[in-house]
Amino acid sequence: MSDEPSGPVSDDARVPRAVAIIMDGNGRWAEARALTVADGHRAGTKALRRVVEAAIDLGIETLVVYAFSTENWTRPTDEVEDLMELLSETIDGELPDLAKQGVRTRFLGRRDRIEPWLDEKMGALEAETEELDTLNLWIAFDYGGRAEIAHAARRLVEDGVDPAAVDEDTLSARLYAPEMGEIDLLIRTSGELRLSNFLLWEAAYAELVFTDTLWPDFDAADLGAAVQAYAARQRRFGARTRS
Ligand code: IPE
Ligand code: IPE
Ligand code: MG
């Protein structure tokens, strides 16, 4: 695999390298239409496909989407089962088309609680797309930021790292996917103003954009607007800079 990205990855600093999205509002979208929650989640998967294609067009290199949190297991069993089934349908239906467009898909999160049949599918898709590099898509599934940091801490101990050597680099090297890198822009849909345990470490310096749009309605124009808002921000990383 070459180091040079083959897709339209942008050198423009106004285009965020890595974008994360908390895809929220499926339930409210369905309720407003007197549909089932499952219908709302299904509409959400269509939005995901649209947004991945829009991200390619914008030259975004890495897109991380929150699909199922460590807390979402507390939802009704039927809904959890529907979400597992929908991930499976998305792997079969949407992600191969995205692979044709050069999308490499990987999953971020715990893998020990997911049923073996689904875990196998997830692994197969990761293997099938591993040479692709137009866009890196990370699907956060059974993901929690605190669980991820606890996992990294456990690995530090397992690796016998000297306490004096524990620092940001040694810990971040043991997160689920160190190669994913820092998040530049984090978007949350549906008007909620919280992180809900998403990317607590990686989004430490992300620019935040909140929109009232419910996830199933989110489209290329919404992503473009969030990227424009990002482009207008001045990132300081704690320094005293003026422009
Ligand atoms: C986001 O939509 C999808 C998941 C959390 C799996 P919600 O299902 O949280 O939608 P709302 O927040 O109830 O509207
Ligand atoms: C966050 O949304 C998780 C996902 C989008 C997958 P939630 O709807 O679960 O978050 P809360 O409950 O509003 O914080
Ligand atoms: Mg929600």
Side-chain angles (χ1 to χ4, degrees), residues 89-140:
E89 284 176 23
T90 306
I91 291 173
D92 292 337
E94 313 288 348
L95 293 168
D97 282 348
L98 291 173
K100 283 188 199 128
Q101 297 172 60
V103 175
R104 176 176 187 185
T105 302
R106 278 167 282 183
F107 295 91
L108 190 73
R110 292 182 59 162
R111 288 290 266 272
D112 57 314
R113 301 194 287 191
I114 290 165
E115 286 188 45
W117 67 271
L118 185 54
D119 182 61
E120 251 171 59
K121 272 194 162 188
M122 292 159 77
L125 181 71
E126 290 179 322
E128 281 160 23
T129 63
E130 75 182 345
E131 300 291 326
L132 305 175
D133 63 1
T134 300
L135 179 120
N136 291 304
L137 174 64
W138 296 89
I139 300 181

Side-chain angles (χ1 to χ4, degrees), residues 24-26 28 75 188 190 192:
D24 197 13
N26 296 350
R28 278 162 284 168
R75 292 193 180 196
R188 182 170 189 149
S190 88
E192 306 295 354

Side-chain angles (χ1 to χ4, degrees), residues 2-175:
S2 95
D3 288 339
E4 291 297 314
S6 59
V9 170
S10 176
D11 291 332
D12 187 341
R14 289 168 305 175
V15 176
R17 183 195 70 83
V19 176
I21 308 182
I22 302 176
M23 310 185 290
D24 197 13
N26 296 350
R28 278 162 284 168
W29 183 92
E31 200 182 335
R33 288 162 182 75
L35 297 170
T36 64
V37 174
D39 290 332
H41 291 315
R42 182 161 286 106
T45 65
K46 305 292 172 216
L48 174 60
R49 185 200 171 121
R50 227 171 28 232
V51 168
V52 172
E53 288 173 344
I56 297 172
D57 293 343
L58 285 167
I60 291 166
E61 185 184 308
T62 294
L63 181 67
V64 195
V65 294
Y66 206 6
F68 191 85
S69 74
T70 49
E71 289 72 34
N72 288 147
W73 291 105
T74 62
R75 292 193 180 196
T77 314
D78 283 359
E79 182 176 354
V80 170
E81 278 173 11
D82 287 342
L83 285 165
M84 298 296 147
E85 187 53 42
L86 258 183
L87 176 64
S88 166
E89 284 176 23
T90 306
I91 291 173
D92 292 337
E94 313 288 348
L95 293 168
D97 282 348
L98 291 173
K100 283 188 199 128
Q101 297 172 60
V103 175
R104 176 176 187 185
T105 302
R106 278 167 282 183
F107 295 91
L108 190 73
R110 292 182 59 162
R111 288 290 266 272
D112 57 314
R113 301 194 287 191
I114 290 165
E115 286 188 45
W117 67 271
L118 185 54
D119 182 61
E120 251 171 59
K121 272 194 162 188
M122 292 159 77
L125 181 71
E126 290 179 322
E128 281 160 23
T129 63
E130 75 182 345
E131 300 291 326
L132 305 175
D133 63 1
T134 300
L135 179 120
N136 291 304
L137 174 64
W138 296 89
I139 300 181
F141 202 89
D142 199 5
Y143 175 86
R146 287 179 172 179
E148 181 180 28
I149 294 167
H151 159 92
R154 196 179 323 118
R155 288 189 54 201
L156 284 169
V157 176
E158 284 168 1
D159 292 348
V161 176
D162 183 339
V166 175
D167 58 14
E168 294 182 18
D169 289 340
T170 51
L171 191 141
S172 66
R174 289 167 175 82
L175 293 171

